Amino acid sequence: MNDNEQVSEHDEFMGDALEQARLARDAGEVPIGAVLVMGGQVVGCGFNRPISGVDPTAHAELVAIRDAATRLGNYRLIGSTLYVTIEPCLMCAGAFVHARIGTVVYGALEPRTGALVSTVRAAELPGHNHRVAVVGGVRSDECRALMQEFFRQRRGAKPDAVAAPGSGLQALGDGTGGDAVIERPRS
């Protein structure tokens, strides 16, 4: 597969993850979606559902992994690629190792809890008996925009809100210098 085919495949499957994220949004959950692919086919999908599932571990990535493992009858998902709209957290990164995910492709960075690039490079931690390849920034503008709009609506922010010190808006960067903002709850 050449680079153009790889980019096209990543775009296509990230589109599927974005569809899952929209389902999360429509269900009142934070709009993060994921699909798990093996052999060019989606074998698992999921969206964030910790609120509706009353399960703090029901992140989109874990829902997609559980779906794939159930469908395939195997908890080892060797050679698979997981597509997720937002950079995964440390809990999800640990699951990638245990499930033997081959590659994780994410859309937008998550500067507060992202654990593949932003806060820690979990895929590179010593002591793991499996390594996960990481590809970031696929359709990042769309992934970021979905999150931004969700939090604007949820918090009642105006569409043209600008991040100001102490405003509760957090930059969500993609590493290209074209950072955007999403609203974050205040602690």
Side-chain angles (χ1 to χ4, degrees):
M1 180 179 306
N2 68 37
D3 288 345
N4 288 337
E5 290 172 328
Q6 185 75 38
V7 168
S8 176
E9 182 176 271
H10 287 336
D11 282 350
E12 177 185 340
F13 289 123
M14 187 60 73
D16 294 337
L18 279 159
E19 226 10 81
Q20 291 294 309
R22 289 182 192 99
L23 293 172
R25 176 201 61 204
D26 295 347
E29 301 274 3
V30 174
I32 300 174
V35 296
L36 194 123
V37 175
M38 289 182 84
Q41 299 294 315
V42 173
V43 295
C45 56
F47 57 84
N48 261 14
R49 50 181 83 181
I51 298 167
S52 61
V54 193
D55 179 0
T57 69
H59 290 195
E61 302 93 313
L62 297 185
V63 173
I65 289 170
R66 289 176 185 139
D67 184 40
T70 299
R71 287 184 194 199
L72 298 172
N74 195 339
Y75 72 107
R76 297 281 196 227
L77 302 168
I78 297 167
S80 63
T81 300
L82 181 89
Y83 292 84
V84 60
T85 55
I86 301 296
E87 179 187 4
C89 72
L90 192 55
M91 174 184 68
C92 292
F96 304 154
V97 172
H98 291 291
R100 304 298 192 265
I101 305 292
T103 303
V104 173
V105 179
Y106 68 86
L109 289 173
E110 208 319 323
R112 281 194 167 175
T113 61
L116 298 180
V117 175
S118 295
T119 63
V120 66
R121 293 185 178 276
E124 299 170 17
L125 291 174
H128 287 164
N129 59 351
H130 175 73
R131 295 285 174 226
V132 178
V134 175
V135 176
V138 175
R139 296 178 72 166
S140 62
D141 290 342
E142 292 171 76
C143 296
R144 186 179 319 103
L146 189 59
M147 291 284 283
Q148 289 173 325
E149 183 57 30
F150 174 80
F151 283 107
R152 275 190 200 109
Q153 288 180 0
R154 188 148 190 166
R155 310 276 187 255
K158 295 179 182 164
D160 60 348
V162 176
S167 69
L169 293 175
Q170 170 71 34
L172 182 63
D174 62 4
T176 64
D179 295 347
V181 293
I182 64 167
E183 189 170 343
R184 294 288 187 189
R186 293 176 191 222
S187 359

